[in-house]
Amino acid sequence: MTLSPSPTISARTAGVRGSAIRDLLTLTARPDVISLAGGLPAADLLPRERIAAAAARALTDPAAVQYGETAGLARLREVVAAHETERGTGGARGPVLPGDVVVTSGSQQALDLLARAVLDPGDAVVVEDPGYVGALQVFQAAGAVVVPVGLDADGMRVDELADLLAGGLRPRLVHTVSSFHNPRGVTLAAERRRALAELADRHGFLVVEDDPYGLLAFDGATPAPVAAHGERVVRLGSASKVLAPALRVGWLVGPGEVTAAVELLRQGADLCGSTLTQSIAADLLGDRDWFAGHLATLRREGAARAAAFTTAVAELLPDAVGSDPTGGMFCWLEFPEGTDTTAALPRALDAGVGFVPGSAFAVGTPLPAAARCCFASHPPEVLHEAVRRLATALAVPSGRGRST
Amino acid sequence: MTLSPSPTISARTAGVRGSAIRDLLTLTARPDVISLAGGLPAADLLPRERIAAAAARALTDPAAVQYGETAGLARLREVVAAHETERGTGGARGPVLPGDVVVTSGSQQALDLLARAVLDPGDAVVVEDPGYVGALQVFQAAGAVVVPVGLDADGMRVDELADLLAGGLRPRLVHTVSSFHNPRGVTLAAERRRALAELADRHGFLVVEDDPYGLLAFDGATPAPVAAHGERVVRLGSASKVLAPALRVGWLVGPGEVTAAVELLRQGADLCGSTLTQSIAADLLGDRDWFAGHLATLRREGAARAAAFTTAVAELLPDAVGSDPTGGMFCWLEFPEGTDTTAALPRALDAGVGFVPGSAFAVGTPLPAAARCCFASHPPEVLHEAVRRLATALAVPSGRGRST
């Protein structure tokens, strides 16, 4: 979507880039298209019956339909604090307390409120390249100057960040999707997490540790959170990928000054979240045995789907180099040099498959030959068919040389 | 809540005033206190069973727990468009179409996204004085220069606004709570609605017609919306006061350029609303017979409660002048000159009653002797007891002169 410059719309809004992905979701919603485009949890694995039971239980209490506290339902803040403590978020500082948690409408709102709380126009913000589009939108809307840092198989190139800092860069925020990166699929290595937290302490910036996928490790293990290693880390979590997106429950854990500012801004942003969906989230996250079993299912199924997808890619798209997912939802494909995945997308949709071209995530480095594919949304047999269709649309035309 | 100036928090956030009302809600949540402070719908009139039935029905569809479209659930946009058409919002322009509607997380989010879409720092915004605190917070956060305009028994002093415009004021937005004003309880007269829309056309500003209470007219009638009289009106609606706050469903109807910008900003703000609660809202608002019956109950009960409250005020607080509610949720009380309702609040809480001091709503004119009381949240007998406690706390001390 592009907005024509207009006297009605503010100068800043006119500079905000719409999400190509959300526009794409409309296209890929066609029933004949297998969509690998969205970051949607698998419909067949969403715990709908358990949510219905929790809703029915919550609605026996009149408080479930009334306004709630801006910082979030007390019971949910308790459950999230316990959950983050268990994940190691508190580090040597001790347990995460309910007062350290602000519940938000998905972790996207946490990101937006955080940006509004700490950024002034012109502030520098470091992002990963390629990066999470929702974060880029937020930082653009806040008028920040976005500085890209690369990624490799161990996540953000913290050494590259250190060089930029040594060169005089003074960012206000450094954003990282620390586990099972969107879109690259990689996980920030343990030693880099420690180094990143130390750089934050030394140079006075805040790390935004955006972690919606961390619980989806196929083997159940991810390194301790960046937040375990220092105080200048704001950790964002979400129920969207482990329970259901429609709950619109995310959270922010951070220094008191930050949580207070975020809570204050949420008053004006939307007063409070839904007491009903927060009650449901507290019920499901707080039911330890059920949640452990549910996570085990998501991990087992995620691993099976990732394996089906990468096997099909190896078989049917031998020219492409795919990432090797160990958790999360995404596989990153790199096609031979000269491939233009943006140009190929209409052909792919005609062939009945959707993906997100790499260029949608590009910050500083163009990524014309890459694509993000979500393997989580479909069962193995559907993924195989999706890759077959991809191969049709992205077949190297005769006469075009290969780069390898 | 006050934030100490800090290098972590942005200069703009540090200037945002917290809502005294939301802070007060914490105090008045004490079980021994009858709260007249919140703008909370009556717990006993919230349609909890009907919501539970709608939730159970919605949850038979996997789509109800998935991500949804940023502009809102298609079915809800249809229902809201039909509902706004019936209220006359389209005026001579014809019916409101689903594409004219953006669903938001309560009308507060509509207000926030609208401000972000159209305001640049330093823009002038006209607000009513006293005014809705949630709007003031939003305009402050956007860096706007707030210009107050007075109210009388017929709502905003549109003549005062016309004088300011004649004097050279060029606001970007003019905000009005057009029906059953928060906090004053008054309704903008029909001829003023027309005049306001004409001023918007002549001077190029947008009217924000904030209308969460319009359906709560005790006799079922309010003048046609301001939006009926011109195109430069953005109309905000809400399900919070007529269904339930926990659905977090509000909406914005306005020019295409504005709805497109608001939708774009919502991508970054929180991606989308809850498909589950939007399904519930569409079910209830779309069930015409049920909704008509429910509204009739709210109106009948509202009238009975307002009557009980004003009768008790006449009997037990003879020095106070109360507004004469004809709908909505609020009665505005003015005590004799020299009364300090802010100072009296702790005494009132000790006596077991809460209210919001007039000063919380003051923009340009201090209102030390006024109070906003919500009559909607309690049945008549509880309201009588609340006024008795108010009388104890606000009794004119002997020796202090009366202003009348």
Side-chain angles (χ1 to χ4, degrees):
Chain A
M1 179 192 310
T2 52
L3 284 167
S4 55
S6 146
T8 304
I9 302 304
S10 91
R12 190 173 304 167
T13 307
V16 174
R17 186 171 73 164
S19 164
I21 298 168
R22 288 199 72 80
D23 294 347
L24 204 57
L25 289 181
T26 308
L27 288 177
T28 58
R30 283 164 36 190
D32 56 321
V33 171
I34 303 173
S35 178
L36 308 175
L40 276 65
D44 57 323
L45 299 177
L46 289 167
R48 196 154 41 88
E49 287 76 15
R50 185 69 184 74
I51 288 171
R57 190 156 43 235
L59 286 165
T60 60
D61 179 359
V65 290
Q66 195 53 276
Y67 285 107
E69 287 181 55
T70 300
L73 190 73
R75 170 82 186 120
L76 179 57
R77 294 171 80 192
E78 283 168 21
V79 168
V80 167
H83 163 91
E84 288 288 342
T85 298
E86 199 172 311
R87 292 185 71 182
T89 297
R93 299 186 301 284
V96 175
L97 303 177
D100 302 327
V101 177
V102 179
V103 177
T104 53
S105 185
S107 57
Q108 183 68 33
Q109 189 187 38
L111 197 54
D112 185 50
L113 296 178
L114 174 65
R116 295 169 79 179
V118 307
L119 294 179
D120 289 309
D123 280 348
V125 173
V126 170
V127 299
E128 293 162 325
D129 188 13
Y132 169 53
V133 176
L136 297 177
Q137 279 185 290
V138 160
F139 299 140
Q140 285 173 336
V145 175
V146 168
V147 180
V149 163
L151 289 156
D152 63 20
D154 284 330
M156 178 192 273
R157 291 277 308 273
V158 176
D159 59 329
E160 213 179 276
L161 172 64
D163 288 346
L164 289 169
L165 294 166
L169 181 71
R170 288 296 169 266
R172 198 75 171 243
L173 296 177
V174 173
H175 179 262
T176 177
V177 177
S178 50
S179 293
F180 314 118
H181 188 265
N182 177 6
R184 281 288 281 102
V186 295
T187 292
L188 191 64
E191 63 275 21
R192 291 194 185 177
R193 292 177 184 229
R194 185 183 302 276
L196 181 57
E198 285 171 5
L199 288 173
D201 284 335
R202 193 171 323 143
H203 296 282
F205 59 81
L206 286 172
V207 176
V208 187
E209 181 183 24
D210 197 349
D211 189 18
Y213 312 110
L215 287 173
L216 299 176
F218 298 156
D219 64 359
T222 46
V226 182
H229 302 294
E231 285 185 50
R232 297 192 63 86
V233 182
V234 179
R235 197 174 141 76
L236 311 187
S238 176
S240 294
K241 315 303 189 205
V242 294
L243 295 178
L247 300 179
R248 306 312 299 126
V249 166
W251 55 85
L252 177 151
V253 178
E257 190 177 38
V258 171
T259 54
V262 165
E263 182 184 347
L264 178 67
L265 286 173
R266 188 171 191 186
Q267 289 185 7
D270 63 2
L271 297 180
C272 62
S274 166
T275 313
L276 175 57
T277 65
Q278 289 180 80
S279 300
I280 296 170
D283 186 332
L284 272 63
L285 285 177
D287 184 344
R288 305 293 290 264
D289 290 343
W290 174 84
F291 187 57
H294 176 63
L295 273 185
T297 304
L298 293 181
R299 288 165 177 162
R300 189 181 60 240
E301 277 296 319
R305 290 167 187 208
F309 184 78
T310 54
T311 303
V313 166
E315 178 195 339
L316 302 169
L317 284 168
D319 292 328
V321 178
S323 63
D324 185 22
T326 56
M329 305 172 69
F330 302 115
C331 183
W332 181 255
L333 296 182
E334 291 179 346
F335 293 93
E337 205 181 310
T339 307
D340 182 341
T341 54
T342 303
L345 184 59
R347 291 202 305 277
L349 291 171
D350 284 346
V353 65
F355 60 86
V356 185
S359 59
F361 309 97
V363 187
T365 310
L367 296 159
R372 186 195 77 176
C373 296
C374 175
F375 56 76
S377 314
H378 305 287
E381 61 280 11
V382 176
L383 291 168
H384 191 274
E385 172 60 18
V387 176
R388 200 193 59 71
R389 296 179 185 183
L390 264 185
T392 312
L394 281 150
V396 179
S398 59
R400 185 193 288 179
R402 295 188 183 179
S403 65
T404 48
Chain B
M1 180 193 309
T2 51
L3 285 166
S4 55
S6 145
T8 304
I9 302 304
S10 91
R12 191 173 304 167
T13 307
V16 174
R17 185 170 74 163
S19 165
I21 298 168
R22 287 199 72 80
D23 294 347
L24 204 57
L25 289 181
T26 309
L27 287 178
T28 58
R30 283 162 37 188
D32 57 322
V33 171
I34 303 172
S35 178
L36 308 174
L40 277 65
D44 57 322
L45 300 177
L46 289 167
R48 196 154 41 90
E49 286 76 14
R50 185 69 185 73
I51 288 171
R57 191 155 44 232
L59 286 166
T60 60
D61 180 359
V65 291
Q66 195 53 277
Y67 285 107
E69 287 181 54
T70 300
L73 190 72
R75 170 81 187 122
L76 179 57
R77 293 170 82 193
E78 284 168 20
V79 168
V80 167
H83 163 91
E84 287 288 341
T85 298
E86 199 172 312
R87 291 184 72 182
T89 297
R93 300 185 301 285
V96 175
L97 303 177
D100 302 327
V101 176
V102 180
V103 177
T104 52
S105 186
S107 58
Q108 183 70 34
Q109 189 187 37
L111 197 54
D112 185 49
L113 295 177
L114 174 65
R116 295 170 78 179
V118 307
L119 294 180
D120 290 308
D123 281 348
V125 173
V126 170
V127 300
E128 294 162 323
D129 189 13
Y132 169 53
V133 176
L136 297 177
Q137 279 184 291
V138 161
F139 299 139
Q140 284 173 337
V145 175
V146 168
V147 180
V149 163
L151 289 156
D152 62 20
D154 285 329
M156 178 191 274
R157 290 278 309 271
V158 175
D159 59 328
E160 213 179 277
L161 171 64
D163 288 346
L164 289 168
L165 294 166
L169 180 71
R170 289 296 169 266
R172 199 75 172 243
L173 296 178
V174 174
H175 178 262
T176 177
V177 178
S178 51
S179 293
F180 314 118
H181 188 266
N182 177 5
R184 281 288 282 105
V186 295
T187 292
L188 192 63
E191 64 274 23
R192 291 194 186 177
R193 292 177 182 228
R194 185 182 302 275
L196 180 57
E198 285 171 4
L199 288 173
D201 285 335
R202 194 172 319 144
H203 296 281
F205 59 82
L206 286 172
V207 176
V208 187
E209 182 183 23
D210 197 349
D211 189 18
Y213 313 109
L215 288 172
L216 298 177
F218 298 155
D219 64 0
T222 45
V226 181
H229 302 295
E231 285 185 51
R232 297 192 62 84
V233 182
V234 179
R235 197 174 141 76
L236 311 186
S238 175
S240 294
K241 315 304 188 203
V242 294
L243 294 178
L247 300 179
R248 305 313 298 128
V249 166
W251 55 84
L252 176 151
V253 179
E257 189 177 39
V258 171
T259 55
V262 165
E263 182 183 347
L264 178 67
L265 286 173
R266 190 173 188 182
Q267 288 185 9
D270 63 1
L271 297 180
C272 62
S274 166
T275 313
L276 175 57
T277 66
Q278 289 181 80
S279 299
I280 296 171
D283 186 332
L284 273 63
L285 284 176
D287 184 345
R288 305 293 291 263
D289 290 345
W290 174 84
F291 187 57
H294 176 63
L295 273 184
T297 304
L298 292 181
R299 288 165 176 161
R300 189 181 59 240
E301 277 296 318
R305 289 168 187 207
F309 184 78
T310 54
T311 302
V313 167
E315 177 195 338
L316 302 169
L317 284 168
D319 292 326
V321 177
S323 63
D324 184 22
T326 57
M329 304 172 72
F330 302 114
C331 183
W332 181 255
L333 297 182
E334 291 180 346
F335 293 92
E337 205 181 312
T339 307
D340 181 340
T341 54
T342 303
L345 184 58
R347 290 202 305 276
L349 291 170
D350 283 347
V353 65
F355 60 86
V356 185
S359 58
F361 309 97
V363 186
T365 311
L367 295 159
R372 186 194 78 176
C373 296
C374 175
F375 57 76
S377 314
H378 305 286
E381 60 280 12
V382 176
L383 290 168
H384 191 276
E385 173 59 18
V387 176
R388 199 193 58 72
R389 296 179 185 182
L390 264 186
T392 311
L394 281 150
V396 179
S398 59
R400 184 194 287 179
R402 296 188 182 178
S403 66
T404 47

